[in-house]
Amino acid sequence: MPPRIKVSVIQGANSEIARMKFFKDGHTGIYSEVRINGGAWLFLTTSDQSPILDERPLLVPGQAEVREYRARFWDAGKPNGPWCDVVKVTVGP
């Protein structure tokens, strides 16, 4: 089974940010990636503490963007298992 994640949008200091809550289900942590506006998947972080805050600035200041998130489990220093379902949110100014 893949990890379970829930992504919501909250207000950050300068714009909205994505907040990813995850469930380890007995694993060490998760390995996560993000895709912005349909681009390439990029490494986001590995973490054993939920939630993860994606506080990166908007690519174009003042312009909303679509961010997609996915995760795999992280054990023994490497990602493993299947990817979870992709979760999509829109982050704006």
Side-chain angles (χ1 to χ4, degrees):
M1 297 232 2
R4 296 172 290 135
I5 66 171
K6 295 181 181 181
V7 183
S8 58
V9 176
I10 61 173
Q11 187 59 48
N14 299 311
S15 66
E16 294 177 334
I17 62 174
R19 179 182 184 268
M20 180 193 306
K21 183 175 180 180
F22 62 87
F23 303 90
K24 298 187 294 185
D25 296 322
H27 294 267
T28 303
I30 65 163
Y31 172 96
S32 58
E33 295 184 340
V34 61
R35 179 166 55 187
I36 302 172
N37 292 334
W41 285 104
L42 305 170
F43 171 73
L44 179 62
T45 192
T46 58
S47 182
D48 63 354
Q49 299 288 318
S50 182
I52 296 167
L53 299 179
D54 183 359
E55 300 178 285
R56 71 184 75 222
L58 298 169
L59 294 176
V60 178
Q63 184 176 330
E65 61 194 31
V66 175
R67 295 185 185 177
E68 298 172 272
Y69 295 89
R70 67 182 184 178
R72 299 171 70 186
F73 286 118
W74 178 262
D75 295 297
K78 61 183 178 180
N80 63 82
W83 291 103
C84 69
D85 291 338
V86 173
V87 177
K88 185 185 299 190
V89 296
T90 300
V91 177

